[in-house]
């Protein structure tokens, strides 16, 4: 009996062991199936993710205007006075031309025009006084401007502006350095004075801070050509040269900026001062005649017309009023050109939607009529910009801008040789003061997005007789650079984008020098286009 019970117990234990082994084997099989299933899912997810990562993401559509805005340069706000009437009102202390990340900004601006006038090209060259003006019938490449700007270090930023052009008559390519300068506000760290906090120093080759238009490059002009009085005061290239300039933003409630600069007074861009010119008359004993006077010149008749052209440019370029020029060299600080300017800005109007800018400017320096020759140029300008609070990307708007300039040119007397009836004798020309003045006023109205119309009026006059090629007095009405002039210029502007602009302009010129051959007037029609690409420094107000 006991044996039978023991055998039953043993069989029961073996049965239990068999069942346990069977259950364990079944559980392991199920666990293996689950692990294989989990591993397969993870592998599928990994492969799907890799495939999606390899594909290019589909970007959402971008509005063209948003894309254009994103390409605009970063414009920091004024760090010295946040309460300015308008933070973009000529605040040179704000480094708007350079990014804060120290990278170099590169840009190019191209402008050209096509059209013509009712006068011949030689006469038109005298009417259009700017180097970038459309000054010939047909096509004119006005500017191909390359700009490089950036931060040198935390204390210094720099910029260079280069211009490439083509002489429309000769086809010659012209490369010109317009500006190359540095700017710094680090003087405050050196002086450690409270008043120097808003002090800036600028040095190099740059446009003098005089008025409004003189400080602007050609693509910044609202009209296709520069005002007549600017050309008469500062020449075809504007008043610019090598020098230093300090600017101080006064710590006042209203925006007040003061400029003071010193430049070399000699160079081809220093019209009204020590401007050098190949056609300059010399009073070193020859009175503007050939130093080999009396010798026979082969082909003299053939070059007679060239001599007249040479004398004409002597009157235009070397001195004012055809005066005799001397070879003036730098002696001391009195031979420098000094410029000064004060400008102030405020907000007006019931809705405070009008910004005003008023400026007073002066330029003082020697001229090349002699050691006693001196030039003073004065100017005042007023600009008003209206933009309503409710506007569409800046439209509608209204800009009224005016400048008045005057020049006192003290020409030193001189002696020269004069031949009459085979007899050579010394003649004396008394010194005198030549006065020239003029103005322009223009109104530009943008009545709806991308479209604007404008109207500009100009007037220029003076007093004091000019001299001809033989140093004889001639009527000022015969001097194309000093006669009585007026111009009336309507304008239509289409701006399809921030980077492209088309302008249609009509010029009605009236001038005393046109009376004999052209009835005293000229009609000109010009169609211009300019476009910009790259990162370009922001324009001031």
């Amino acid at each position: 009996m006991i044996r039978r019970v023991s055998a039953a117990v043993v069989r029961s234990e073996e049965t239990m062991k068999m069942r346990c082994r069977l259950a364990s084997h079944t559980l392991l099989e199920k666990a293996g199936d689950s692990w294989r299933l989990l591993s397969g899912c993870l592998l599928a997810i990994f492969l799907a993710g890799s495939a999606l990562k390899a594909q290019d993401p589909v970007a959402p559509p971008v509005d063209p205007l948003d894309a254009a805005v994103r390409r605009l340069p970063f414009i920091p706000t004024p760090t010295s006075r946040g309460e300015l009437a308008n933070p973009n009102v000529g605040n040179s202390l704000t480094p708007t031309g350079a990014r804060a990340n120290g990278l170099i900004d590169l840009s190019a601006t191209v402008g050209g025009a096509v059209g013509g006038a009712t006068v011949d090209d030689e006469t038109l060259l005298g009417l259009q006084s700017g180097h970038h003006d459309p000054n010939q019938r047909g096509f004119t490449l006005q500017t191909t401007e390359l700009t490089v700007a950036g931060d040198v270090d935390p204390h210094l930023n720099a910029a260079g502006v280069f211009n490439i052009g083509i002489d429309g008559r000769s086809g010659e390519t012209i490369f010109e350095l317009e500006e190359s300068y540095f700017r710094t506000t680090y003087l405050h760290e050196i002086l450690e004075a409270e008043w120097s906090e808003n002090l800036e120093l600028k040095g190099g080759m740059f446009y003098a801070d005089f008025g409004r238009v003189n400080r602007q490059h050609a693509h910044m002009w609202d009209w296709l050509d520069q005002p007549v009085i600017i050309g008469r005061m500062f020449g075809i290239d504007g008043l610019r040269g090598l020098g230093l300039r300090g600017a101080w933003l006064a710590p006042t409630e209203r925006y007040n900026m003061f400029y003071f600069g010193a430049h070399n007074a000699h160079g081809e861009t220093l019209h009204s001062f020590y401007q050098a010119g190949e056609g300059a008359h010399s009073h070193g004993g020859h009175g503007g005649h050939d130093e080999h006077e009396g010798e026979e010149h082969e082909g003299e008749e053939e070059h007679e017309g060239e001599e007249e052209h040479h004398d004409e440019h002597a009157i235009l370029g070397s001195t004012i009023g055809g005066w005799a020029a001397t070879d003036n060299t730098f002696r001391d600080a009195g031979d420098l050109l000094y410029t000064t300017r004060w400008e102030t800005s405020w907000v007006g109007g019931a809705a405070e939607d009008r910004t005003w800018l008023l400026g007073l400017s002066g330029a003082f320096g020697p001229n090349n009529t002699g050691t006693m020759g001196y030039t003073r140029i004065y100017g005042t300008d007023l600009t008003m910009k209206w933009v309503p609070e409710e506007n569409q990307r800046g439209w509608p708007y209204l800009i009224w801008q005016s400048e008045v300039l005057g020049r006192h040119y003290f020409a030193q007397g001189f002696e020269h040789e004069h031949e009459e009836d085979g007899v050579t004798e010394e003649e004396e020309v008394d010194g005198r003061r030549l006065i020239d003045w003029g103005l322009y006023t223009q109104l530009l109205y943008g009545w709806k997005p991308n479209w604007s119309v404008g109207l500009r009026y100009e007037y220029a006059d003076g007093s004091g007789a000019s001299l001809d090629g033989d140093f004889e007095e001639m009527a000022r009405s015969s001097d194309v650079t000093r006669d009585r002039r007026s111009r009336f210029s309507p304008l239509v502007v289409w701006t399809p984008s921030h980077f492209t602009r088309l302008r249609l302009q009509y010029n009605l010129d009236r001038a005393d020098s046109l009376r004999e051959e052209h009835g005293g007037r000229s009609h000109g029609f010009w169609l211009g286009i300019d476009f910009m690409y790259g990162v370009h420094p922001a324009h001031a107000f």
Side-chain angles (χ1 to χ4, degrees), residues 316-331:
L316 291 176
S318 58
T319 59
I320 303 302
W323 220 255
T326 60
D327 184 17
N328 287 319
T329 56
F330 180 84
R331 297 178 300 274

Side-chain angles (χ1 to χ4, degrees), residues 3 9 36 96-97 121-122 125 127 173 206 215 236 242 302-303 309 317 337 355 379 415 433 480 508 518:
R3 290 178 180 173
V9 171
R36 284 192 294 270
T96 58
D121 281 353
E122 289 300 321
L125 186 62
L127 294 177
T173 299
F206 54 91
R215 299 189 288 175
I236 64 175
L242 291 169
E302 178 182 351
H303 298 285
H309 182 70
L337 163 66
T355 302
E415 293 183 352
R433 182 174 63 175
V480 68
L508 171 59
H518 304 283

Side-chain angles (χ1 to χ4, degrees), residues 375-386:
T375 301
R376 296 184 182 131
I377 302 178
Y378 308 93
T380 182
D381 56 90
L382 180 64
T383 304
M384 186 277 293
K385 184 173 183 179
W386 167 80

Side-chain angles (χ1 to χ4, degrees), residues 85-86 89 345-357 383-391 394-400 445 541:
N86 188 331
V89 179
S345 176
W346 67 95
V347 171
E352 294 190 346
D353 53 4
R354 282 172 245 170
T355 302
W356 295 83
L357 179 67
T383 304
M384 186 277 293
K385 184 173 183 179
W386 167 80
V387 179
E389 184 177 355
E390 296 183 4
N391 62 82
W395 275 274
Y397 70 87
L398 180 68
I399 301 176
W400 173 50
Y445 174 57
F541 174 82

Side-chain angles (χ1 to χ4, degrees), residues 487-501:
R487 175 184 285 172
F488 178 77
S489 303
L491 176 75
V492 178
V493 185
W494 178 47
T495 311
S497 73
H498 178 78
F499 310 96
T500 309
R501 177 177 59 174

Side-chain angles (χ1 to χ4, degrees), residues 292 294-298 300:
H292 301 290
E295 299 181 9
E296 293 185 3
H297 293 267
E298 185 178 356
E300 185 173 358

Side-chain angles (χ1 to χ4, degrees), residues 1-11:
M1 182 69 181
I2 295 174
R3 290 178 180 173
R4 285 197 297 269
V5 171
S6 299
V9 171
V10 170
R11 285 194 299 269

Side-chain angles (χ1 to χ4, degrees), residues 107 133 142 158 163 246 260 329 332-333 375 406 408 410 469-470:
S107 67
D133 293 356
Q142 295 179 270
N163 204 289
F260 180 80
T329 56
D332 52 40
T375 301
H408 287 194
F410 299 90
D470 295 321

